[in-house]
Amino acid sequence: DTEVTQTPKHLVMGMTNKKSLKCEQHMGHRAMYWYKQKAKKPPELMFVYSYEKLSINESVPSRFSPECPNSSLLNLHLHALQPEDSALYLCASSQDIPPGALEAFFGQGTRLTVV
Amino acid sequence: AQKITQTQPGMFVQEKEAVTLDCTYDTSDQSYGLFWYKQPSSGEMIFLIYQGSYDEQNATEGRYSLNFQKARKSANLVISASQLGDSAMYFCAMSDGGSQGNLIFGKGTKLSVKP
């Protein structure tokens, strides 16, 4: 099973809403990632969790709050987002960090629209 | 700083023909990994092929092969016998050899396969 599952697939939220994106993998991977991808651009790294601990935060605004409840789950809590935060949010996992010798598996992404 | 360059914003290929997607990279690390991902319009990033910086042989995975020329710092993707389903965005990516766990992506090449 080489699958990373993200829910929801689509999300529309207002600027005052609070919502969460969820990511799940059952491959026993110990590193999980959140990427943000704007239209016609490559993905940009937001957060990396290694062994359920946050190891990288790429200067992401505090309105994005990651959480790793266990080794299989990764959440991204959203609060007071701006319209420019509308993007495709991709979750990925790999056996370990760095992924230098190991491929990262990606989910299908959540298309987020902030209105 | 590490950098990935994909100079072809868009490519066309006739069905059943081979196509080469270009990728050059820049890094001062001795240990790194090079990846190619396919992203259909659905959004999922699909892992295609991996090449380690110390691998002497070019990686191959089915119809995909990676033409790795270390001295020229290039890692071109060759797709043989193109199929209509190959139409997608293709990203070249690199991981560093350190412990950052980051994948750096190129800007991508949009491949269109013509029947």
Side-chain angles (χ1 to χ4, degrees), chain A residues 33 37 42 56 98-101 104 111, chain B residues 35 37 39 41 50 95 98 100-101 106:
Chain A
Y33 312 78
Q37 186 179 21
I56 292 179
R111 290 196 187 274
Chain B
F35 302 77
Y37 286 89
Q39 188 176 40
S41 56
Y50 162 80
S95 65
Q100 295 303 307

Side-chain angles (χ1 to χ4, degrees), chain A residues 33-36 42-48 56 58 91-94 96-106, chain B residues 2-4 32-37 45 47 49-51 91-97 99-106:
Chain A
Y33 312 78
W34 279 115
Y35 283 83
K36 174 181 177 179
E44 294 178 346
L45 183 69
M46 298 175 74
F47 303 103
V48 180
I56 292 179
E58 291 285 348
C91 173
S93 71
S94 63
D96 204 342
I97 63 165
L102 306 160
E103 65 265 29
F105 292 93
F106 283 80
Chain B
Q2 295 175 314
K3 188 178 178 183
I4 290 276
Y32 51 89
L34 295 158
F35 302 77
W36 277 93
Y37 286 89
M45 295 285 280
F47 167 76
I49 197 165
Y50 162 80
Q51 179 86 39
F91 289 98
C92 180
M94 177 171 65
S95 65
D96 62 33
S99 60
Q100 295 303 307
N102 191 8
L103 276 176
I104 299 160
F105 286 85

Side-chain angles (χ1 to χ4, degrees), chain A residues 48-106:
Chain A
V48 180
Y49 272 83
S50 176
Y51 291 84
E52 299 158 52
K53 288 190 184 344
L54 183 65
S55 65
I56 292 179
N57 176 342
E58 291 285 348
S59 303
V60 179
S62 59
R63 57 187 184 268
F64 295 92
S65 174
E67 178 197 17
C68 190
N70 60 56
S71 59
S72 299
L73 293 174
L74 185 66
N75 298 323
L76 186 63
H77 302 298
L78 315 172
H79 173 55
L81 295 194
Q82 303 296 311
E84 59 265 29
D85 296 322
S86 299
L88 178 69
Y89 289 83
L90 291 161
C91 173
S93 71
S94 63
Q95 276 188 303
D96 204 342
I97 63 165
L102 306 160
E103 65 265 29
F105 292 93
F106 283 80

Side-chain angles (χ1 to χ4, degrees), chain A residues 2-59:
Chain A
T2 55
E3 194 172 274
V4 177
T5 304
Q6 288 187 244
T7 54
K9 288 188 169 43
H10 300 274
L11 178 63
V12 179
M13 61 185 288
M15 289 188 282
T16 58
N17 291 158
K18 283 186 182 180
K19 296 285 184 185
S20 297
L21 309 185
K22 297 185 184 303
C23 175
E24 191 169 1
Q25 57 87 14
H26 295 288
M27 295 177 278
H29 288 175
R30 304 315 300 265
M32 295 186 77
Y33 312 78
W34 279 115
Y35 283 83
K36 174 181 177 179
Q37 186 179 21
K38 299 285 279 183
K40 300 184 181 179
K41 299 286 187 184
E44 294 178 346
L45 183 69
M46 298 175 74
F47 303 103
V48 180
Y49 272 83
S50 176
Y51 291 84
E52 299 158 52
K53 288 190 184 344
L54 183 65
S55 65
I56 292 179
N57 176 342
E58 291 285 348
S59 303

